[in-house]
Amino acid sequence: MWAFGLPKVKKSVYFHHKPDTVAIQHGTSSNVERLGPVALLWSHFRSAYSNPMVLQWSLWYAIALAGYLQVTTYMQVVWKSFDDEPTIVWNGGVDAALTALAALSTLLAGYLHAGRLKSRASLLTLSVLSVLEGGCVLLAAWPKNIYISYLGYVLFGAIYGFTITVASAELASSLLEDSFALIFGINTLVALVLQSLLTLVFVSESTGLNLNTFEQFTVYAFYFIIFGIVYFIAVIVEFLLRLAKVSKTQVMEIE
């Protein structure tokens, strides 16, 4: 209802203006082209996803978001399955605690990342934290004590708040400012498609594996763990290859 009272939007980055009033600067080139909305959308899309750094962080963003949505969507089902469910159910309070702690970790991520973490260091840090996220999911699902499950769930949300903030900042630093909404929107769409596939494969009774609750969360836990390990190995391999290239260059200069 509040949205209906907002002022009318007369123009935007892509629409509601004449084609000759739109300008985009491609990368570091000084050539500025005037484009229509569809051409501008395609230009921003191509400029972003042809950049390896954008692809790297977009993939991280989409995978992490899909896993987070899947865990938070079905966590209540896990708690309902515990035998020791307390008389006073704290599920809502635990969700509130997760939100509050995630907000604090987001602020911490903003402070630590600003000029303190380089791209490779950010990726290594997030890889380790992704493995910890998987551990938190196991902590939330495997023990038969609901209070330990609460703890694992809250810690999972706090770590996610940190990692998604750093990933978003790294992604934004590689984008043209006008393309932020487009690229983050596409990445969110990819995350939702991936979440739907996870549901279809592991949850659906008719078309999927129809795993029980604890089996599902075991899959989600190792989803984060494997995801983190793969990125960690990729960063180490990239570093070693770059180190070997530098050493080879130095040897050639000496010769």
Side-chain angles (χ1 to χ4, degrees), residues 65-143:
L65 179 56
Y68 173 80
L69 292 173
Q70 197 72 353
V71 170
T72 53
T73 298
Y74 290 99
M75 197 68 235
Q76 299 278 348
V77 180
V78 174
W79 291 334
K80 290 295 290 183
S81 66
F82 283 137
D83 296 328
D84 65 336
E85 188 175 8
T87 305
I88 301 176
V89 180
W90 295 100
N91 298 5
V94 172
D95 271 325
L98 179 145
T99 303
L101 199 56
L104 291 175
S105 67
T106 297
L107 293 173
L108 178 63
Y111 173 76
L112 291 177
H113 182 262
R116 293 173 177 82
L117 287 176
K118 302 299 182 183
S119 183
R120 189 183 296 114
S122 295
L123 203 52
L124 281 174
T125 302
L126 266 59
S127 299
V128 174
L129 290 177
S130 180
V131 174
L132 290 178
E133 280 183 281
C136 289
V137 174
L138 292 177
L139 185 65
W142 278 9

